Amino acid sequence: EEDSLSPSVRLQQKKKQARMIQKALDAEEEAFKVRMEAINCRWRDLQAKEAQLKAYTQKFEKFIQENDEKRIRALKKASKERELKIQREKELLRARRELEVLKNKHQKIYNALQKYSIFNKYLEDVVKVSEFEEIREVIGRHKTLVRMHEDLLQSTQTRMEMIEKAKVLLAQYTEEKEDKILQYNNELAQLQTRFDQAHSDVLIWESHWAHIQNTAAEKTLMLGTIKMATLNLFQ
């Protein structure tokens, strides 16, 4: 279907794709900035926490020298802080990985945008030599043609469905008529058999009738001869 479209329409589609990619790229860049700002905030918080942790550690070491009980509490607190630091380091590592993924995605989108940017230039050149004044008019014309194509496809589909229904009805009608023709052929065959039998009987009876006529003729001739002989004898 794409091959059947004109070059200007195909380039228009490519332009539309490029604009969509540009929008997606802008959104990704904005999200990337927000994520980077959040990561920087986390990083500053981690640095501040690390500074606080160092100060706490020094203070706890001094407390350890002064009081064992305070030293134990300080060690517990320091342990929690270390766990928190480890957790935040894991979060930072995860954020760095996400940042690397976003960078790769950003690079792919940028490469795609660069790849399709030539179509934008081509569309601009097409507008210069065509009857359209702006690219959006070309896009509008393309949308109109697409809608007309869809309407045509819908109309064709409806007509094809009507034709299929007509074919089904025709097949049913043909099947019914073929059944009737077969029935009539069977009846005709039976009548032909009866006709052949009757014709055979007619031939037999005609043979009998000819024999009877011949016999009657012989009897009539014999009767005439007897009458003549009788008449002669009488005379």
Side-chain angles (χ1 to χ4, degrees):
E1 182 179 0
E2 185 178 359
D3 293 338
S4 65
L5 299 176
S6 63
S8 61
V9 175
R10 291 200 301 270
L11 290 174
Q12 179 184 345
Q13 292 178 348
K14 298 299 183 180
K15 171 61 179 176
K16 184 178 180 180
Q17 294 177 0
R19 291 166 64 180
M20 293 176 65
I21 292 174
Q22 181 64 45
K23 291 182 180 180
L25 179 60
D26 295 339
E28 289 291 339
E29 288 181 352
E30 186 65 25
F32 176 77
K33 291 179 181 179
V34 174
R35 181 59 64 86
M36 285 297 299
E37 184 64 25
I39 292 174
N40 290 332
C41 292
R42 291 182 182 178
W43 179 252
R44 289 193 295 268
D45 292 339
L46 287 175
Q47 288 180 339
K49 292 296 182 180
E50 286 178 355
Q52 293 178 2
L53 182 60
K54 290 180 180 178
Y56 288 155
T57 303
Q58 293 176 358
K59 187 175 181 180
F60 290 152
E61 289 177 353
K62 183 178 180 180
F63 289 163
I64 289 172
Q65 295 176 359
E66 295 176 355
N67 192 307
D68 291 339
E69 184 177 354
K70 290 182 180 181
R71 180 179 61 83
I72 294 173
R73 289 198 301 267
L75 289 175
K76 290 181 178 180
K77 189 173 182 180
S79 177
K80 291 181 180 180
E81 291 292 337
R82 283 195 296 270
E83 291 178 357
L84 181 60
K85 180 181 178 181
I86 293 173
Q87 181 179 358
R88 290 183 177 178
E89 287 178 351
K90 291 180 179 179
E91 292 179 357
L92 180 59
L93 180 61
R94 183 169 60 253
R96 287 176 178 175
R97 291 176 179 175
E98 292 178 357
L99 177 61
E100 188 66 25
V101 172
L102 290 175
K103 286 182 178 180
N104 294 333
K105 190 174 182 180
H106 176 271
Q107 186 62 37
K108 290 180 180 179
I109 296 176
Y110 178 77
N111 293 336
L113 180 62
Q114 291 297 113
K115 178 180 178 181
Y116 291 108
S117 61
I118 59 175
F119 298 106
N120 183 31
K121 180 63 171 59
Y122 184 81
L123 283 175
E124 292 176 353
D125 295 337
V126 170
V127 170
K128 292 179 181 178
V129 298
S130 65
E131 60 182 0
F132 301 101
E133 297 181 357
E134 296 182 0
I135 295 178
R136 65 170 178 268
E137 294 180 359
V138 180
I139 296 175
R141 178 60 176 171
H142 169 67
K143 291 180 179 180
T144 301
L145 292 175
V146 169
R147 286 194 297 268
M148 293 176 61
H149 179 67
E150 291 176 352
D151 294 339
L152 181 60
L153 288 178
Q154 183 65 30
S155 177
T156 303
Q157 182 67 25
T158 302
R159 292 183 180 178
M160 289 300 295
E161 291 177 356
M162 293 175 63
I163 291 173
E164 290 298 327
K165 291 180 180 179
K167 287 182 178 179
V168 172
L169 294 176
L170 178 61
Q172 294 177 353
Y173 178 78
T174 303
E175 184 178 359
E176 293 176 357
K177 294 304 179 182
E178 287 178 352
D179 292 339
K180 289 184 178 180
I181 291 172
L182 181 60
Q183 180 181 356
Y184 293 153
N185 287 334
N186 292 332
E187 294 178 356
L188 181 61
Q190 293 176 0
L191 292 174
Q192 184 66 37
T193 301
R194 294 175 60 185
F195 175 77
D196 293 339
Q197 183 65 36
H199 186 265
S200 178
D201 294 340
V202 167
L203 292 177
I204 293 173
W205 286 108
E206 285 180 350
S207 177
H208 287 317
W209 174 248
H211 179 70
I212 291 171
Q213 286 181 340
N214 292 330
T215 303
E218 291 177 357
K219 296 295 185 180
T220 302
L221 181 59
M222 184 180 293
L223 180 60
T225 303
I226 293 172
K227 287 181 177 181
M228 290 297 295
T230 305
L231 180 61
N232 292 333
L233 291 176
F234 174 74
Q235 291 178 354

